[in-house]
Amino acid sequence: MPSPSTTHVVLIPSYNPGPRVTATVRAALAQWNPVWVIVDGSTDRSAEALQAMAAAEPALRVFVLPQNRGKGAAMLVGLRAAQAQGFTHALSMDSDGQHPAERIPLFMQTSMDQPAAMVLGCPVFDASAPGLRVQGRKISNGWANLETLWAGIGDSLFGFRVYPVDPLIEVMRRQRWMRRFDFDVEAAVRLCWRGIRPVNLPAPVRYFRPEEGGVSHFNYWRDNALLTWMHCRLFCGFLVRLPLLIARALRP
Ligand SMILES: Nc1nc2c(ncn2[C@@H]2O[C@H](COP(=O)(O)OP(=O)(O)O)[C@@H](O)[C@H]2O)c(=O)[nH]1
Ligand SMILES: [Mg+2]
């Protein structure tokens, strides 16, 4: 078991994650201590399986939320608990096995070396990645780069990241959005606006077929509408901050 960190914690928000969740959490535990899973109103009995795992594994903590409120809302529960225990940084990771647990130590070390930055995973897709998802994210990335005046966000949507806890809680406290799939993009953009520098690291991502245990809760119409509304909000925020962003970009 890795020795416990007092500054960096792994947070895994989880909603009806499918059969890969226990292997995903085990893979994270093999790399890091502590690992916290936030079960977000799941109805698939994954909470019970994870709680049983936590009973035998001191590095694992499981939060069970009674109702599904969304990825961002679950992250906020984990972030607040992390802050209360003195953690300064949190690595977010999907619960369905798509993210590379073996990269956790490198991401954490990069964050420890540059604690004022956020460490953003840049997805490295293989043949399993659906073309629509790979191409679709270019639109979000284009907007996110404009909204930050190209401050360096490599991928706006990818959820494998290390965030500084205090500024992220502050950003979320100030507004009621960022609670569902709009979390990842809005977190990266708003943290950039606060002067948190992105550091990008490659991270291989896998898309599992349903027969391999792949599950997705991303609803093409519902969530693209959510992301479109989010970019409308962010674009307005960008216009307000434009003088500040230009001044910052021109600073030597
Ligand atoms: N807590 C929580 N997490 C969620 C929810 N929806 C998705 N997630 C998390 O976000 C990750 C990505 O969502 P997923 O449905 O796999 O979408 P995709 O990977 O983009 O197709 C999941 O692995 C979960 O960890 C939700 O409603 N609540
Ligand atoms: Mg997924």
Side-chain angles (χ1 to χ4, degrees):
M1 192 202 296
S3 56
S5 172
T6 53
T7 57
H8 285 60
V9 58
V10 172
L11 297 181
I12 306 182
S14 184
Y15 172 60
N16 291 351
R20 291 190 170 266
V21 63
T22 46
T24 303
V25 173
R26 262 188 225 297
L29 285 165
Q31 304 291 342
W32 203 255
N33 176 4
V35 173
W36 294 356
V37 183
I38 304 99
V39 177
D40 184 25
S42 294
T43 52
D44 60 353
R45 306 195 66 77
S46 55
E48 289 82 348
L50 290 165
Q51 281 171 319
M53 214 166 144
E57 173 55 80
L60 176 62
R61 181 169 172 191
V62 179
F63 298 75
V64 181
L65 310 180
Q67 267 176 14
N68 179 251
R69 291 243 160 79
K71 178 180 183 176
M75 277 296 294
L76 187 55
V77 169
L79 288 163
R80 287 207 164 113
Q83 187 183 53
Q85 292 204 15
F87 290 97
T88 55
H89 293 76
L91 180 145
S92 64
M93 179 177 160
D94 285 3
S95 60
D96 58 359
Q98 289 195 257
H99 289 168
E102 70 282 359
R103 296 278 162 112
I104 293 172
L106 174 65
F107 274 59
M108 294 300 209
Q109 190 55 54
T110 304
S111 162
M112 287 173 201
D113 294 342
Q114 302 174 73
M118 56 182 162
V119 184
L120 305 182
C122 272
V124 180
F125 296 109
D126 65 11
S128 66
L132 195 61
R133 297 293 292 272
V134 177
Q135 294 307 320
R137 67 199 309 129
K138 289 184 184 165
I139 299 171
S140 182
N141 289 344
W143 281 109
N145 279 313
L146 171 66
E147 288 149 7
T148 55
L149 276 191
W150 291 269
I153 295 176
D155 190 281
S156 60
L157 286 158
F158 199 49
F160 190 75
R161 295 175 170 173
V162 187
Y163 292 108
V165 169
D166 290 353
L168 182 53
I169 290 178
E170 192 49 30
V171 156
M172 294 187 80
R173 200 180 60 76
R174 282 162 182 263
Q175 44 109 32
R176 67 184 195 86
W177 298 100
M178 289 177 75
R179 299 312 192 254
R180 291 197 174 268
F181 276 126
D182 47 359
F183 168 76
D184 305 271
V185 181
E186 199 153 350
V189 169
R190 289 190 181 277
L191 286 173
C192 266
W193 287 348
R194 289 178 71 96
I196 308 287
R197 194 170 51 84
V199 173
N200 299 290
L201 291 181
V205 56
R206 294 236 6 228
Y207 281 82
F208 296 103
R209 293 190 303 275
E211 58 273 26
E212 295 174 303
V215 174
S216 176
H217 301 288
F218 190 88
N219 177 299
Y220 190 80
W221 293 107
R222 180 198 65 193
D223 291 312
N224 277 321
L226 182 75
L227 293 179
T228 303
W229 163 232
M230 174 204 68
H231 278 302
C232 292
R233 285 195 310 277
L234 290 176
F235 188 72
C236 293
F238 159 70
L239 292 179
V240 171
R241 290 170 179 83
L242 194 52
L244 169 83
L245 294 172
I246 291 175
R248 205 184 271 162
L250 293 178
R251 217 179 290 151

